[in-house]
Each structure stands twice: as C-alpha cells, then as structure tokens.
Amino acid sequence: MTISIHASVGLHGDNEPDDVLVVKSRLLELGFPFVTADSVMGPLTIKAIRLFQAAKNGLNDVNDPRNDGRVDVNGDTIKWLQAVNAPRWQRMPVGSPEEGFINDNIIDR
C-alpha cells in the first residue's frame, strides 16, 4: 500500500491537514479505533502513532523513547504504515480455560 505525506505528522511535526488525514485514515484501516478520520492533530492521534510504533518496534512500553509519536516523510514509521503486514490493533477476547487462554486484562473479577 502506498500512502504519501509531504511533511511530518505527529508530535512536533508540521501537521499539515492533508497529511494528518492520510496518517489517521491509515491508522483507522489498521484498527486503531480511537482516532477519527479528520485532519485535526491531537493527543489521541499522537498516542495512536506511539502505540503503532511500539508494535512495529516489538516493544511493550509505549513510552519508550523509540516511540517518538511522529511520522516522518522518509522515516521508518511511514514505511511500516505502508507495509502490507503493518501491525494492526485488535482487541483480544476474554478467552476461557476451554479455549486455552484467559485475557486477564478484560476478564470480569
């Protein structure tokens, strides 16, 4: 998939409205439900970019400095956003002993 931006998007980025819309639309396609398909850069979009970066970097910590919250024109994050195998956000089910797993993060206690 080819997506194109003309300037940086995200934390300390240029955040041109058309570029913001491109990045947010791709994040929505990848299942990040907390962004909206508009051209407004805000804290939830930066969090979504950082979460995407954590997934592509194989990190459990979104606050790791390698997740800078920015998509640069020729940077690694834009390349991963374009990738067919880009990380997707997926809510995991509760599970059960019969299924072989239990999701402790969302199970009712």
Side-chain angles (χ1 to χ4, degrees):
M1 162 171 241
T2 301
I3 64 169
S4 177
I5 58 174
H6 298 96
S8 59
V9 172
L11 187 63
H12 307 299
D14 293 330
N15 296 317
E16 294 179 8
D18 290 345
D19 293 336
V20 171
L21 180 59
V22 166
V23 169
K24 290 176 82 172
S25 295
R26 180 61 173 147
L27 288 169
L28 276 168
E29 287 175 12
L30 294 171
F32 291 81
F34 38 87
V35 295
T36 54
D38 61 29
S39 58
V40 178
M41 176 53 62
L44 286 179
T45 306
I46 292 169
K47 287 180 182 183
I49 293 169
R50 293 182 81 185
L51 182 57
F52 177 83
Q53 290 173 324
K56 77 157 179 80
N57 292 330
L59 302 170
N60 291 329
D61 183 2
V62 175
N63 295 316
D64 187 290
R66 290 172 280 186
N67 309 322
D68 63 6
R70 192 162 115 173
V71 181
D72 291 313
V73 174
N74 293 312
D76 190 57
T77 301
I78 191 72
K79 291 174 185 170
W80 272 99
L81 283 169
Q82 294 172 341
V84 175
N85 63 335
R88 295 181 175 275
W89 179 262
Q90 179 178 332
R91 183 173 172 94
M92 296 301 293
V94 174
S96 68
E98 295 77 28
E99 293 174 285
F101 73 96
I102 296 175
N103 186 340
D104 290 333
N105 291 320
I106 60 174
I107 192 165
D108 292 330
R109 295 177 194 261

